[in-house]
Amino acid sequence: MKKWLPVLLAAGVLAACSDSAEETTEETPAEDQQEESAEEPAESESSFPVTVTDANGDEITIEEQPDAIVSMLPSNTEIAYALGLDEEIVGVSDFDNYPEEAMEVEKIGGMEFNVEKIISLQPDVVLAHASNPGGADGLQQIEDAGIPVVVIENAMTFDEVYDTIDMIGQVTGTTEEAEQIIADMQAGFDEIAEKASAISEEDQKSVLVDVAGPPEMYVAANNTFIQEMLDLINAENVMADQEGFVPLTEEEVVTRNPEVALLTFGDFVEDAVEQWMGYEGFSEVTAVTNEDVYLVPSDPVTRSGPRLVEGTQALAEAIYPDVFAE
């Protein structure tokens, strides 16, 4: 296996790959909120304790608004920073690289996290993730130390990403900020969709999004936020008949014959485009013959967080530069 695949796993992508291979709320007016608070506390930044049901189906109660947070996955960390929790984040995974401030925070390990380190940081809550493989024993040790652990769902769709942002907002007492992030994302997607409406059905291009590269290719199929991105910009995913992130053989790339190939692993592989285009057997693939093979930024495209709008814009510019290039 490629040395950089664990980094993709840390982003939640290949956790989804493995699973696939095997198998608004209405806002209350401000005056109503004030009346409600006089009778019964409304859910707000000060409404603690808070009880949530996490991805494992466990009810987790957070007694007070957290002052110290450990995030075990880059996507959780990006969301936490977007919620304005810069000062509260005391520990992150080895793979956290955004925003830059996260790179200066204490590291708690990668796929094999350091339980003792996490406990030593004395967090008020740990944001774990459903993609953390084989981590149940370690998480139990953290819970046994009296630290609440909230396991966040492995989001595969826009709505699930919104749910994740909402969940972290509830746990950290930043529900208003979470609602604003979700609203901003939805507005960003709407703006992209409006531009995409100019692309007629006959002008739609067929696309393959490769997140790992040959010979161990994993590609985005249906029921993923990448599928939603492609739908939004009126592009046809050649893998839409499959589910999740799936392995793909070189022969099947030729058979599916995408007009455009988008690669998300350029940060890990030198000359990724040249290697992909030069791969044995790809010479007749339309994307190769037309030299429509492009790098797109990995994290905004594959990481389930607020930058998915940025990732969608990047896909759009690569596929339809005449429509989307600024």
Side-chain angles (χ1 to χ4, degrees), residues 8-143:
L8 290 177
L9 178 57
V13 174
L14 291 191
C17 296
S18 300
D19 291 342
S20 304
E22 295 170 2
E23 260 280 26
T24 14
T25 62
E26 189 173 309
E27 293 186 5
T28 305
E31 293 182 4
D32 292 344
Q33 287 181 345
Q34 291 175 358
E35 292 177 5
E36 181 182 350
S37 64
E39 302 173 2
E40 182 178 331
E43 185 168 308
S44 67
E45 293 191 9
S46 59
S47 59
F48 281 83
V50 167
T51 299
V52 297
T53 301
D54 73 0
N56 287 343
D58 297 328
E59 286 193 353
I60 312 297
T61 297
I62 312 298
E63 297 293 343
E64 298 180 348
Q65 184 163 2
D67 290 322
I69 300 167
V70 166
S71 172
M72 300 181 66
L73 204 79
S75 55
N76 290 349
T77 302
E78 287 201 23
I79 292 169
Y81 271 97
L83 291 169
L85 298 167
D86 310 45
E87 298 299 322
E88 288 81 1
I89 300 170
V90 297
V92 298
S93 84
D94 293 351
F95 303 111
D96 285 48
N97 60 356
Y98 187 90
E100 287 188 9
E101 300 95 288
M103 300 176 69
E104 305 302 320
V105 178
E106 290 281 350
K107 299 299 184 288
I108 53 89
M111 291 297 94
E112 296 182 2
F113 51 89
N114 187 326
V115 173
E116 291 76 15
K117 179 67 172 180
I118 293 173
I119 294 173
S120 74
L121 294 171
Q122 299 182 317
D124 298 313
V125 66
V126 171
L127 300 176
H129 199 273
S131 70
N132 287 122
D137 290 343
L139 296 181
Q140 186 61 56
Q141 291 179 53
I142 296 169
E143 291 178 345

Side-chain angles (χ1 to χ4, degrees), residues 283-306:
S283 61
E284 299 303 316
V285 174
T286 300
V288 173
T289 58
N290 291 342
E291 297 187 355
D292 282 331
V293 180
Y294 306 105
L295 295 180
V296 290
S298 176
D299 294 343
V301 171
T302 63
R303 187 174 289 176
S304 53

Side-chain angles (χ1 to χ4, degrees), residues 2-325:
K2 303 179 181 72
K3 293 180 180 179
W4 47 269
L5 288 189
V7 181
L8 290 177
L9 178 57
V13 174
L14 291 191
C17 296
S18 300
D19 291 342
S20 304
E22 295 170 2
E23 260 280 26
T24 14
T25 62
E26 189 173 309
E27 293 186 5
T28 305
E31 293 182 4
D32 292 344
Q33 287 181 345
Q34 291 175 358
E35 292 177 5
E36 181 182 350
S37 64
E39 302 173 2
E40 182 178 331
E43 185 168 308
S44 67
E45 293 191 9
S46 59
S47 59
F48 281 83
V50 167
T51 299
V52 297
T53 301
D54 73 0
N56 287 343
D58 297 328
E59 286 193 353
I60 312 297
T61 297
I62 312 298
E63 297 293 343
E64 298 180 348
Q65 184 163 2
D67 290 322
I69 300 167
V70 166
S71 172
M72 300 181 66
L73 204 79
S75 55
N76 290 349
T77 302
E78 287 201 23
I79 292 169
Y81 271 97
L83 291 169
L85 298 167
D86 310 45
E87 298 299 322
E88 288 81 1
I89 300 170
V90 297
V92 298
S93 84
D94 293 351
F95 303 111
D96 285 48
N97 60 356
Y98 187 90
E100 287 188 9
E101 300 95 288
M103 300 176 69
E104 305 302 320
V105 178
E106 290 281 350
K107 299 299 184 288
I108 53 89
M111 291 297 94
E112 296 182 2
F113 51 89
N114 187 326
V115 173
E116 291 76 15
K117 179 67 172 180
I118 293 173
I119 294 173
S120 74
L121 294 171
Q122 299 182 317
D124 298 313
V125 66
V126 171
L127 300 176
H129 199 273
S131 70
N132 287 122
D137 290 343
L139 296 181
Q140 186 61 56
Q141 291 179 53
I142 296 169
E143 291 178 345
D144 291 344
I147 300 169
V149 174
V150 179
V151 179
I152 305 298
E153 188 67 63
N154 187 32
M156 294 289 286
T157 67
F158 288 170
D159 283 342
E160 289 175 354
V161 174
Y162 300 151
D163 288 344
T164 293
I165 295 169
D166 178 67
M167 169 79 79
I168 295 177
Q170 291 181 54
V171 167
T172 60
T174 55
T175 54
E176 292 183 6
E177 290 84 350
E179 290 171 2
Q180 187 61 57
I181 291 170
I182 293 168
D184 289 344
M185 290 180 68
Q186 291 170 332
F189 288 134
D190 287 345
E191 184 176 336
I192 293 171
E194 184 176 355
K195 286 185 179 181
S197 64
I199 301 166
S200 66
E201 185 174 349
E202 62 183 16
D203 290 332
Q204 290 184 12
K205 293 185 179 180
S206 62
V207 180
L208 178 73
V209 181
D210 185 357
V211 303
E216 298 171 334
M217 281 182 290
Y218 269 91
V219 297
N222 200 16
N223 287 335
T224 64
F225 44 77
I226 291 179
Q227 177 68 59
E228 288 189 79
M229 292 174 171
L230 295 176
D231 289 341
L232 194 70
I233 59 181
N234 286 339
E236 176 192 350
N237 186 358
V238 297
M239 297 301 300
D241 60 331
Q242 302 293 310
E243 299 285 326
F245 290 86
V246 296
L248 193 69
T249 65
E250 299 84 2
E251 292 78 14
E252 198 164 8
V253 173
V254 175
T255 300
R256 293 179 182 266
N257 194 28
E259 295 175 276
V260 179
L262 303 180
L263 318 180
T264 70
F265 49 90
D267 291 339
F268 312 104
V269 177
E270 188 175 354
D271 300 324
V273 169
E274 291 77 6
Q275 288 190 39
W276 206 94
M277 291 181 62
Y279 198 75
E280 184 179 359
F282 285 6
S283 61
E284 299 303 316
V285 174
T286 300
V288 173
T289 58
N290 291 342
E291 297 187 355
D292 282 331
V293 180
Y294 306 105
L295 295 180
V296 290
S298 176
D299 294 343
V301 171
T302 63
R303 187 174 289 176
S304 53
R307 289 193 291 163
L308 286 179
V309 175
E310 178 185 330
T312 305
Q313 179 70 24
L315 296 184
E317 291 178 6
I319 300 168
Y320 301 116
D322 293 341
V323 176
F324 288 98

